[in-house]
Amino acid sequence: MKKILAFLFVIFSMQTMFAQLLEPVKWNGKVEKLSENEYNLIYEAKIDDHWHLYSQNLPEGGAIPTEFIYNENQLSKDFELLGKTTESKSITKFDKVFEMDLTFFDNQATFTQKIKVLNQDLTSIEAEISYQACDDAKCIFESKVVEFKLKENKKQESKILDPVKWTSTAYSLGNNEFEIVYTAVLDNNWHIYSQNNKDPMGPIPTEFEFKNDNKDYKLIGEVKESKSIKKFEKAFDMDVKYFSGEATFTQRIKVLNLDIKSIKAEVYYQACDDEKCLAPAFFDLETSLANATPKEASPIETTSTNGGNKGLWSIFFIAFLSGFAALLTPCVFPMIPMTVSFFTKQSKSKAAGIKNAIIYGLCIIVIYVLLGSAVTGIFGADALNALATNVWFNIIFFILLVVFAFSFLGAFEIMLPNSWANKVDSQANRGGMIGIFFMALALAIVSFSCTGPIVGTLLVEAASKGGLAPIIGMLGFSLAIALPFALFAAFPGWLNSLPKSGGWLNTVKVVLGFLELALAFKFLSQADLVLQMHLLEREVFIAIWIAIFGTLALYLFGKIQLPHDSPLTHISVGRLSLGLVVLSFTIYMIPGLWGAPLNLISAFPPPLDYSESPYGVGYSKTGGGVVGSNHRDLPEGAHLLAPHDILAFNDYDLGLAYAKKVNKPVMIDFTGWACVNCRKMEQNVWPKPEILSALKNDVVLISLYVDDKRPLEDNEVIDSKLREGKKLKYIGQKWSEFQTIKYKSNTQPYYVLMDHKEENLITPVAYTPDANEYLNWLKTGISNFKN
């Protein structure tokens, strides 16, 4: 009786459907090529609200199951079915009409049938879908024909993008000098990054390497670039510079071998749009000199942006404050009243004393600006910038700042030879402006043990800015030192308000020593990030800073004494206040060991994902039961991907072997350190509970970084299959070429779900900000693996 009632209900519903011409299910067919002869036929169903589509697998006597019917003639000679049709995740629920549990789909459904083509001339496959759909009041029974075009898919299978077109032109400047202009024309919505993005955790900067093995020419200056766009990028937590539409890069050269016919160079760059990034690419550029266009030699226009001016202003401001700090050291502060008194007493009038003091201050400025100019002139306007991003120079800067810090802490004094001071002092006895200049030079030499470390630190910091930063830094520093001499000479009564020299001057020096020691580890951290050695991960860096500033707090509270400190009978209000500020800062950093972002110092420590665990030292979440809290429990080659503790591999072979061992599908994540949308996926989509659970429990994640610039082992260096005559030198090049050849795609992020035979379980996807769409893709692939 139940079956009869159910049948009558279906018949009635079908009549209703014919009357109202309902179409609650929209079907679409896609083809996914798996190999030369194997394909996936993918049926996608979009289901109207309040309607549901039934599964293929239903008990008898219930609703009509979804069925896929193929032409028998084609099926016997043109292709064959491999396995059963798989389907996406469904809902099973008790149905009152049929009085049984029924399995159905809401909103959308995906069915996948794997086939093998037997006839190579086959161009398309037709399939009929027979299905039933119901809502709360009625049902329809319908059939639909879907055509899968195999040949069109073959034409569209390649997803290799080439959004940047490079050209080069030579201009003759006369006297065997040429200007080589490289032009990049970018497709709409694509951009490449400026050379000046030097932070190792930022985007990949554009770089040029000139092939000049025979020294046929010499480079004049650095590669100059056209005006760039500056924008704050959340994914990198920093300002980045990039080009859109068109970019030009200019290099001036002088030819030494007149027989040379062309200039060969290689450009390394990364292109991104709003959804994806391409793997960093190398492009060979050869510029003919034979027909170079004559051009009048003129200074090459450099980039002038608000960002650049802002950077120089920040250097000037920091240097100005550093100059005031130098004033409060034992080597400089006592010189102020002595020098001002000398000028006012030795001068014939008050006006003459003021004039001499002002000249003295100007001489101080000239001396330090000349120092900054010498550094810029010797190394080049942008060479320091390049040095500052080099691994070995970052290590040298670290050692240099540690030496400066120990000097300030009282371990030793950095002094210039006494003979220099004696010679300069003898010249200071001469009258006039020359004598005043040598007095200023004597001050610079005598006070070097205090000012030297500060000046050295400023020059190191200015190196990271490049350009005129060393000159601007020395201008700010010397202006702060020179101002008191001019002001106190003009208003000598102010001298009475100056605090007396004493132990507080050494306290200032020690505080500066602690600050220099903390700053030193920033440079060591940058070297570690570039080398990816994981020796100075986030927790270690923060722990070191906690130790440094905690010790500084104890020093300010009088619990620790260092060489040259005076006996401390009481703590002044100023020292106590500074100690409380330092202690508060120390306490603020402690939660950083447990994954706190520490926004106040975000520019200094390594990022959250460069850590032992985002949840704290010696502890990692075990949600999903993947591994224990001890890193020794991790399989070979695996690590926990922060901040979600997803078990991940960076080695393809090790990851695949582990997937076979635990019988799970593999998810390849083609990503990059400088991939903006990769970070957006990891920060916005992956943390969704169902997605995170699947990534932790249902797949083995293999993250392959296409911009990893660590060199390959000697036995791994092989010839490139895409660039004739070139070898793969970096790990990132290996994975980039692997993606391009195997998956015919060069964009990131790019996600592949595959089985243990390295065959796709579902069509790979790129940037997918819709979490529901990404979850459906993930679950469909996992379901296909299980079936």
Side-chain angles (χ1 to χ4, degrees):
M1 185 67 182
K2 289 190 296 182
K3 293 184 178 180
I4 295 174
L5 289 174
F7 178 75
L8 292 174
F9 177 76
V10 171
I11 297 298
F12 176 79
S13 299
M14 289 172 61
Q15 291 175 343
T16 305
M17 180 273 295
F18 285 121
Q20 299 181 6
L21 297 176
L22 297 175
E23 191 180 4
V25 183
K26 311 296 189 301
W27 290 92
N28 183 40
K30 289 184 178 180
V31 179
E32 176 190 13
K33 184 175 181 180
L34 303 177
S35 65
E36 191 62 33
N37 298 318
E38 293 184 353
Y39 297 82
N40 272 340
L41 305 183
I42 302 173
Y43 302 85
E44 295 180 337
K46 289 189 176 181
I47 307 165
D48 289 350
D49 290 343
H50 310 300
W51 285 81
H52 48 259
L53 171 73
Y54 289 100
S55 167
Q56 304 170 95
N57 308 307
L58 295 180
E60 292 184 6
I64 299 173
T66 301
E67 184 180 4
F68 302 93
I69 306 166
Y70 301 92
N71 185 301
E72 288 295 333
N73 292 328
Q74 276 194 327
L75 191 58
S76 61
K77 65 178 182 179
D78 292 334
F79 70 95
E80 64 178 354
L81 305 180
L82 300 178
K84 295 181 179 181
T85 303
T86 60
E87 58 188 37
S88 54
K89 186 176 180 181
S90 55
I91 302 168
T92 300
K93 190 176 179 182
F94 183 79
D95 191 290
K96 293 181 181 179
V97 174
F98 296 103
E99 296 186 10
M100 64 178 66
D101 288 334
L102 294 180
T103 303
F104 58 89
F105 305 92
D106 281 345
N107 300 320
Q108 61 183 6
T110 303
F111 302 85
T112 304
Q113 175 63 61
K114 188 176 181 180
I115 67 165
K116 182 177 181 179
V117 174
L118 305 175
N119 177 10
Q120 296 302 318
D121 295 327
L122 182 67
T123 60
S124 64
I125 295 175
E126 284 191 352
E128 181 183 353
I129 311 170
S130 174
Y131 65 97
Q132 180 178 358
C134 298
D135 66 2
D136 294 335
K138 52 191 172 294
C139 291
I140 67 163
F141 178 76
E142 180 67 283
S143 64
K144 197 82 173 177
V145 175
V146 176
E147 183 180 11
F148 298 95
K149 294 184 178 181
L150 305 182
K151 291 295 184 182
E152 279 190 5
N153 182 69
K154 287 182 180 179
K155 293 179 181 178
Q156 298 173 358
E157 64 178 316
S158 177
K159 300 177 183 178
I160 307 300
L161 300 176
D162 185 20
V164 185
K165 307 297 185 294
W166 288 94
T167 58
S168 62
T169 308
Y171 294 93
S172 175
L173 306 178
N175 196 27
N176 297 327
E177 290 189 8
F178 294 84
E179 198 172 78
I180 312 298
V181 178
Y182 301 101
T183 303
V185 178
L186 294 90
D187 291 350
N188 290 338
N189 303 319
W190 285 86
H191 55 261
I192 60 175
Y193 294 99
S194 165
Q195 304 171 100
N196 300 320
N197 293 308
K198 295 297 185 178
D199 194 298
M201 294 312 294
I204 299 293
T206 302
E207 298 177 7
F208 289 85
E209 181 181 348
F210 291 88
K211 309 296 184 181
N212 189 23
D213 297 334
N214 298 324
K215 308 298 181 184
D216 293 323
Y217 59 90
K218 69 175 182 179
L219 304 179
I220 301 176
E222 303 294 323
V223 177
K224 306 298 180 182
E225 61 185 35
S226 53
K227 187 175 182 179
S228 59
I229 301 167
K230 187 173 183 180
K231 182 181 178 182
F232 181 81
E233 181 55 67
K234 290 183 179 179
F236 299 121
D237 196 25
M238 66 179 71
D239 289 331
V240 299
K241 294 181 180 180
Y242 64 91
F243 302 96
S244 182
E246 183 176 295
T248 59
F249 302 85
T250 305
Q251 175 65 62
R252 185 174 291 180
I253 66 167
K254 183 176 181 65
V255 172
L256 304 178
N257 177 10
L258 299 182
D259 294 330
I260 187 175
K261 302 299 182 184
S262 62
I263 303 297
K264 295 180 180 180
E266 184 178 66
V267 60
Y268 178 71
Y269 67 98
Q270 183 174 33
C272 299
D273 68 0
D274 293 335
E275 292 186 353
K276 54 191 169 295
C277 288
L278 304 185
F282 291 89
F283 190 83
D284 292 317
L285 294 160
E286 184 170 1
T287 312
S288 174
L289 300 179
N291 299 312
T293 305
K295 179 182 178 182
E296 182 180 351
S298 59
I300 300 173
E301 185 175 335
T302 59
T303 304
S304 177
T305 64
N306 292 334
N309 292 333
K310 183 180 177 181
L312 292 178
W313 275 112
S314 66
I315 280 289
F316 178 84
F317 182 69
I318 292 172
F320 192 75
L321 293 180
S322 300
F324 274 122
L327 279 173
L328 302 178
T329 58
C331 311
V332 181
F333 187 80
M335 301 291 290
I336 297 175
M338 292 171 54
T339 307
V340 171
S341 298
F342 172 81
F343 282 123
T344 54
K345 291 178 181 179
Q346 296 298 321
S347 302
K348 296 180 180 179
S349 64
K350 181 179 178 181
I354 295 173
K355 183 188 75 171
N356 289 338
I358 292 174
I359 293 173
Y360 181 75
L362 290 174
C363 288
I364 293 174
I365 294 174
V366 168
I367 290 168
Y368 282 103
V369 169
L370 284 175
L371 175 62
S373 302
V375 170
T376 304
I378 293 171
F379 293 101
D382 295 315
L384 276 174
N385 176 265
L387 294 181
T389 58
N390 179 278
V391 170
W392 297 111
F393 276 91
N394 270 290
I395 294 174
I396 290 172
F397 290 159
F398 163 73
I399 295 172
L400 194 63
L401 292 186
V402 169
V403 171
F404 289 161
F406 284 176
S407 173
F408 270 157
L409 294 175
F412 49 82
E413 286 192 357
I414 302 174
M415 299 184 65
L416 295 176
N418 290 329
S419 58
W420 291 18
N422 295 334
K423 289 180 181 179
V424 170
D425 193 51
S426 64
Q427 295 295 322
N429 294 325
R430 300 172 59 179
M433 293 184 62
I434 295 178
I436 295 175
F437 175 82
F438 278 102
M439 284 183 64
L441 185 57
L443 171 69
I445 293 174
V446 171
S447 63
F448 183 80
S449 61
C450 291
T451 59
I454 299 176
V455 170
T457 304
L458 280 174
L459 289 175
V460 167
E461 188 64 25
S464 64
K465 303 293 182 181
L468 299 175
I471 298 175
I472 298 299
M474 289 301 94
L475 177 63
F477 178 82
S478 57
L479 185 61
I481 289 182
L483 272 176
F485 292 97
L487 291 175
F488 283 114
F491 306 99
W494 289 3
L495 290 173
N496 297 326
S497 62
L498 281 179
K500 295 181 179 180
S501 300
W504 67 273
L505 291 176
N506 190 68
T507 300
V508 172
K509 191 176 174 183
V510 170
V511 170
L512 291 175
F514 277 104
L515 294 178
E516 294 225 350
L517 188 59
L519 182 61
F521 283 94
K522 172 192 174 185
F523 293 95
L524 186 62
S525 172
Q526 288 197 169
D528 184 58
L529 281 168
V530 172
L531 293 173
Q532 290 291 301
M533 295 181 67
H534 291 268
L535 297 177
L536 195 62
E537 292 180 323
R538 183 178 176 88
E539 293 90 347
V540 179
F541 183 98
I542 293 173
I544 290 172
W545 268 40
I546 290 173
I548 291 173
F549 285 96
T551 305
L552 174 58
L554 292 175
Y555 172 80
L556 291 171
F557 291 141
K559 302 300 181 182
I560 296 174
Q561 281 198 325
L562 293 172
H564 311 303
D565 277 334
S566 302
L568 191 65
T569 57
H570 66 280
I571 299 176
S572 66
V573 174
R575 183 165 179 161
L576 177 63
S577 302
L578 181 60
L580 290 173
V581 169
V582 173
L583 180 60
S584 300
F585 178 66
T586 304
I587 296 172
Y588 164 79
M589 288 190 290
I590 293 175
L593 297 173
W594 283 267
L598 304 183
N599 291 329
L600 286 178
I601 58 169
S602 60
F604 291 92
L608 280 167
D609 58 356
Y610 194 79
S611 60
E612 294 180 7
S613 167
Y615 308 105
V617 177
Y619 171 78
S620 59
K621 275 191 175 181
T622 56
V626 178
V627 292
S629 62
N630 195 318
H631 279 217
R632 288 176 295 182
D633 296 333
L634 295 173
E636 181 186 0
H639 65 279
L640 295 178
L641 184 66
H644 311 302
D645 261 0
I646 302 170
L647 184 71
F649 292 82
N650 294 131
D651 185 281
Y652 181 84
D653 294 326
L654 291 176
L656 180 58
Y658 181 74
K660 293 177 179 178
K661 179 180 178 181
V662 297
N663 194 31
K664 292 181 181 180
V666 171
M667 188 178 105
I668 306 177
D669 167 27
F670 288 102
T671 183
W673 297 111
C675 174
V676 176
N677 287 306
C678 300
R679 301 294 88 77
K680 289 180 180 178
M681 288 292 293
E682 293 161 11
Q683 294 167 11
N684 302 327
V685 177
W686 285 14
K688 302 300 181 184
E690 285 190 88
I691 295 175
L692 187 58
S693 175
L695 293 175
K696 283 188 171 185
N697 302 316
D698 301 330
V699 301
V700 173
L701 178 65
I702 303 177
S703 296
L704 304 179
Y705 289 84
V706 299
D707 57 359
D708 191 335
K709 290 194 71 176
R710 288 178 296 163
L712 289 164
E713 298 292 336
D714 292 340
N715 60 344
E716 293 182 312
V717 175
I718 59 173
D719 293 329
S720 170
K721 296 179 181 179
L722 299 176
R723 302 174 69 229
E724 188 176 349
K726 300 290 183 180
K727 290 188 178 293
L728 301 181
K729 298 184 294 184
Y730 304 119
I731 292 175
Q733 288 178 304
K734 173 184 175 182
W735 300 135
S736 174
E737 188 157 298
F738 171 66
Q739 180 191 0
T740 303
I741 293 173
K742 184 172 177 63
Y743 298 104
K744 306 297 187 291
S745 173
N746 60 346
T747 63
Q748 292 79 46
Y750 193 74
Y751 305 106
V752 178
L753 275 171
M754 70 177 195
D755 59 20
H756 299 159
K757 295 180 180 179
E758 302 178 65
E759 295 182 354
N760 290 355
L761 295 167
I762 190 173
T763 306
V765 296
Y767 178 59
T768 312
D770 187 328
N772 290 329
E773 182 181 348
Y774 189 77
L775 176 62
N776 182 60
W777 171 83
L778 197 58
K779 289 195 171 183
T780 301
I782 295 170
S783 175
N784 292 343
F785 176 81
K786 292 178 179 178
N787 293 329

